[in-house]
Amino acid sequence: MIYGYLRVSTDEQDICSQKQGVEQFAKEKGWTIDEFITDEGVSGGKDPDKRNLGPLLKKLQKEDIVIASEISRLGRDLYMVMDILHFAMEQGCEIYTVKDRFTLGDDIQSKVLAFAFGLSAEIERQMIRQRTREGLRLRVKLGILLGRPPGVLAPKPLFNLEDKKDAIIEQYKWGVPLRRLAENFNADRETIMRWLHRWGVKYSKHIEKLDNTKRKVPISYKDGEYEVIEDIDRERLTKQIELDMTIPQIAEQYPEYTYEQIYDTIFCDKEFNNLYRKHGQRKIRK
């Protein structure tokens, strides 16, 4: 089967020009398009499963061909393109792009492209991490506390699933998705995650954040340990926070400590953290 894949992200863009290009490319190869799959008004940043591209990929078989106008039509994210390329290699099918003149399949050229895409994706990921870290540090300097208040308990499971423990674990080991598990046992997905964690079945790092007894400060802005001042005058600091002083202003009142020590103390202490969000942080955000 030969498929043509067309995608435009806005209603103003013309999908017909893409179709004409794909048809012309197929004609040059002596091929006939068996079916066109279109995603109109859909961003390339969306997961393929949330587009018509997803079902198309799932029904691909060996020696099938997919033609798109350019690589960006498949996805804006390099990681997404890498996943699609890997899938094509595994299925033994080929993906052609008209403008880029890429051929993605199980051959040397595709593997070279895979290496190039992978390297580019890694560089992009490092840049994103750097920008994220810089953004976090800027917020810290402004005196904004990151994430949600620490110590906020996640809601308790709505259902007691102890009597269904064996069945849940068995289905989980079969590879049943969380959403399906939730449907099968009439429970919320997060409830299933919490119970799996309680039973010692690690689903992901996210579960630990949902566990009521192990909730930690959610976001770190640095690589090292937090520098909490254990013997700080709590009454004095509380009054300063209640006066709507921001962390930069508070830090000036404690020349014996670094800015990070003052920030970490307010950030990691549940009482200070919640109080500051109602005073100084609200002032900054106005």
Side-chain angles (χ1 to χ4, degrees):
M1 291 282 288
I2 300 177
Y3 301 92
Y5 176 68
L6 315 172
R7 182 187 66 78
V8 291
S9 55
T10 65
D11 294 332
E12 288 77 18
Q13 292 177 323
D14 184 15
I15 206 167
C16 294
S17 60
Q18 286 188 32
K19 185 176 182 180
Q20 290 173 359
V22 169
E23 287 178 331
Q24 181 60 35
F25 180 86
K27 184 178 180 181
E28 291 173 2
K29 294 283 187 179
W31 301 334
T32 301
I33 305 293
D34 295 303
E35 183 180 353
F36 276 99
I37 306 297
T38 61
D39 277 313
E40 298 189 55
V42 181
S43 169
K46 273 194 173 183
D47 189 272
D49 287 337
K50 295 180 180 179
R51 295 185 270 151
N52 291 328
L53 176 60
L56 167 60
L57 293 174
K58 290 178 181 177
K59 68 180 181 180
L60 288 178
Q61 298 179 2
K62 188 174 181 180
E63 297 184 357
D64 281 352
I65 293 172
V66 177
I67 306 173
S69 64
E70 54 188 311
I71 199 78
S72 63
R73 297 302 97 193
L74 299 175
R76 292 288 185 185
D77 191 323
L78 276 171
Y79 307 111
M80 191 182 298
V81 175
M82 284 290 295
D83 287 341
I84 294 172
L85 173 56
H86 178 69
F87 181 83
M89 288 180 171
E90 286 191 331
Q91 295 298 111
C93 56
E94 292 184 330
I95 299 177
Y96 290 83
T97 60
V98 178
K99 294 181 181 179
D100 311 309
R101 294 292 171 175
F102 287 150
T103 302
L104 309 179
D106 190 14
D107 54 28
I108 295 298
Q109 179 187 356
S110 297
K111 291 175 182 178
V112 171
L113 285 173
F115 174 79
F117 288 150
L119 181 60
S120 300
E122 180 61 27
I123 293 173
E124 180 182 28
R125 180 167 56 186
Q126 293 295 337
M127 292 177 66
I128 290 172
R129 285 176 178 172
Q130 182 64 26
R131 289 196 297 267
T132 300
R133 182 61 59 87
E134 289 174 357
L136 292 177
R137 289 188 178 279
L138 176 60
R139 292 169 69 84
V140 168
K141 288 181 179 179
L142 291 174
I144 298 175
L145 298 180
L146 305 177
R148 291 175 290 179
V152 178
L153 297 181
K156 294 182 179 179
L158 299 177
F159 304 100
N160 189 325
L161 301 176
E162 282 289 357
D163 58 331
K164 302 172 183 176
K165 174 180 176 180
D166 292 339
I168 292 175
I169 293 177
E170 184 178 20
Q171 289 191 26
Y172 167 73
K173 290 182 177 179
W174 287 345
V176 177
L178 278 177
R179 182 177 299 175
R180 180 60 60 83
L181 283 173
E183 293 175 355
N184 292 347
F185 297 97
N186 192 30
D188 185 86
R189 285 200 304 175
E190 291 191 351
T191 299
I192 296 289
M193 291 171 67
R194 291 191 191 99
W195 280 102
L196 285 171
H197 183 53
R198 288 187 181 189
W199 295 327
V201 180
K202 299 291 185 179
Y203 174 74
S204 73
K205 293 181 180 178
H206 180 57
I207 296 179
E208 296 184 5
K209 294 182 181 179
L210 295 173
D211 182 54
N212 292 347
T213 62
K214 296 183 178 180
R215 181 66 183 263
K216 298 181 180 180
V217 177
I219 299 177
S220 175
Y221 67 94
K222 60 183 182 181
D223 298 323
E225 296 291 330
Y226 291 104
E227 302 176 49
V228 177
I229 306 169
E230 301 291 348
D231 58 349
I232 197 167
D233 187 333
R234 296 187 65 85
E235 184 177 350
R236 178 188 176 193
L237 182 53
T238 298
K239 288 181 179 179
Q240 291 168 335
I241 294 175
E242 290 176 341
L243 288 172
D244 289 349
M245 293 178 67
T246 64
I247 292 178
Q249 293 172 330
I250 294 173
E252 291 178 356
Q253 307 300 313
Y254 297 88
E256 66 272 31
Y257 300 119
T258 66
Y259 180 87
E260 284 194 352
Q261 286 176 310
I262 297 299
Y263 184 93
D264 289 353
T265 300
I266 297 175
F267 182 61
C268 296
D269 187 285
K270 177 182 176 182
E271 182 180 344
F272 290 150
N273 191 305
N274 285 287
L275 185 63
Y276 181 77
R277 291 174 187 274
K278 297 176 183 178
H279 291 274
Q281 179 150 302
R282 185 171 293 179
K283 175 182 174 181
I284 296 172
R285 292 183 178 278
K286 285 183 179 179

